[in-house]
Amino acid sequence: IYMKAEIFYNHQNYDEAAKNYLLFAQYATTALERKSEASKLRAYYNTGYCSFKKKSYSDAALYFGNAIDESVSSADEKGKALLLPDLYMRYSDCAFVTKNYSKAVDGYSKIADMKWSGTEYALYQKAIALGLMNRDEEKISVLKLLIAKYNASNYAVQANVELGETYLQNNSLLEARTCFENIIHENRNAAM
């Protein structure tokens, strides 16, 4: 059943793939997971991607969330090692797109805490989500962290702009000016 789902997925027949992944998840056992690379974790993860590919982000978030829950007890250690960073990123992005900002913040926080690939992006998105939740002090703190730890990242430049804009919106004009001057200074140095 799992292989049938894989074939449907590879042929971009996401509805049939999802149906078969979910059918597999109903019958998967721990013993089976130890013997193969097929697992409930991977089935939910792949079902999430079926929805993601169809731009059904609410459904994708649900299945990615199921995969995260399944990862706690899964015997698929290899799957966890390979999939968890991407799983949390996709889950967080889907939560963000569907305006479930608190879940997005939780997911992005996990990525940053674990220092997985994409940490700079996760911190930036976390800050944006916090801003959308009107939690500007936390947003500022996350942006400052991003700038301090990853100052060579492209997201650091965006974080400086966002930080300046946030200060400007909060009438913290001196802080906003400092951010914008930093951007100008960095651009001058980069041009030389």
Side-chain angles (χ1 to χ4, degrees):
I1 295 171
Y2 188 86
M3 292 310 294
K4 186 176 174 185
E6 293 278 275
I7 291 166
F8 281 126
Y9 186 88
N10 287 328
H11 285 93
Q12 299 177 353
N13 186 340
Y14 301 121
D15 291 331
E16 286 301 314
K19 232 188 286 186
N20 282 278
Y21 284 129
L22 291 173
L23 182 61
F24 171 84
Q26 282 183 309
Y27 298 105
T29 64
T30 303
L32 174 65
E33 289 182 0
R34 287 193 180 114
K35 292 179 187 176
S36 73
E37 294 199 4
S39 65
K40 274 187 184 181
L41 166 65
R42 292 177 197 235
Y44 288 136
Y45 172 81
N46 291 333
T47 304
Y49 260 106
C50 289
S51 295
F52 188 82
K53 296 280 189 179
K54 292 171 36 184
K55 299 182 183 340
S56 298
Y57 300 115
S58 294
D59 291 340
L62 172 74
Y63 293 118
F64 289 141
N66 288 346
I68 288 170
D69 293 344
E70 184 61 34
S71 73
V72 175
S73 61
S74 179
D76 185 1
E77 295 300 323
K78 185 177 177 184
K80 285 192 266 190
L82 290 171
L83 303 178
L84 280 178
D86 183 63
L87 177 56
Y88 271 92
M89 190 66 79
R90 293 302 140 241
Y91 172 76
S92 303
D93 286 344
C94 289
F96 187 92
V97 168
T98 58
K99 299 182 181 182
N100 192 338
Y101 300 124
S102 61
K103 287 190 177 191
V105 165
D106 291 344
Y108 292 132
S109 294
K110 175 75 171 187
I111 294 163
D113 292 346
M114 298 301 290
K115 295 179 176 67
W116 284 329
S117 175
T119 294
E120 305 95 66
Y121 169 81
L123 286 171
Y124 183 77
Q125 288 296 104
K126 176 182 176 179
I128 299 300
L130 288 166
L132 291 168
M133 295 165 61
N134 296 315
R135 293 164 53 184
D136 284 346
E137 290 302 315
E138 291 171 85
K139 175 184 180 181
I140 289 168
S141 176
V142 172
L143 290 170
K144 285 181 174 180
L145 173 69
L146 171 57
I147 293 164
K149 281 192 161 189
Y150 303 97
N151 62 347
S153 165
N154 289 335
Y155 290 104
V157 174
Q158 291 175 283
N160 253 317
V161 172
E162 191 65 35
L163 186 58
E165 291 290 329
T166 303
Y167 281 135
L168 201 57
Q169 289 172 357
N170 289 317
N171 279 332
S172 300
L173 302 181
L174 185 59
E175 290 89 346
R177 180 180 175 170
T178 302
C179 288
F180 295 132
E181 285 174 348
N182 287 341
I183 295 166
I184 292 168
H185 178 71
E186 290 296 318
N187 284 332
R188 269 196 208 130
N189 288 343
M192 294 179 156

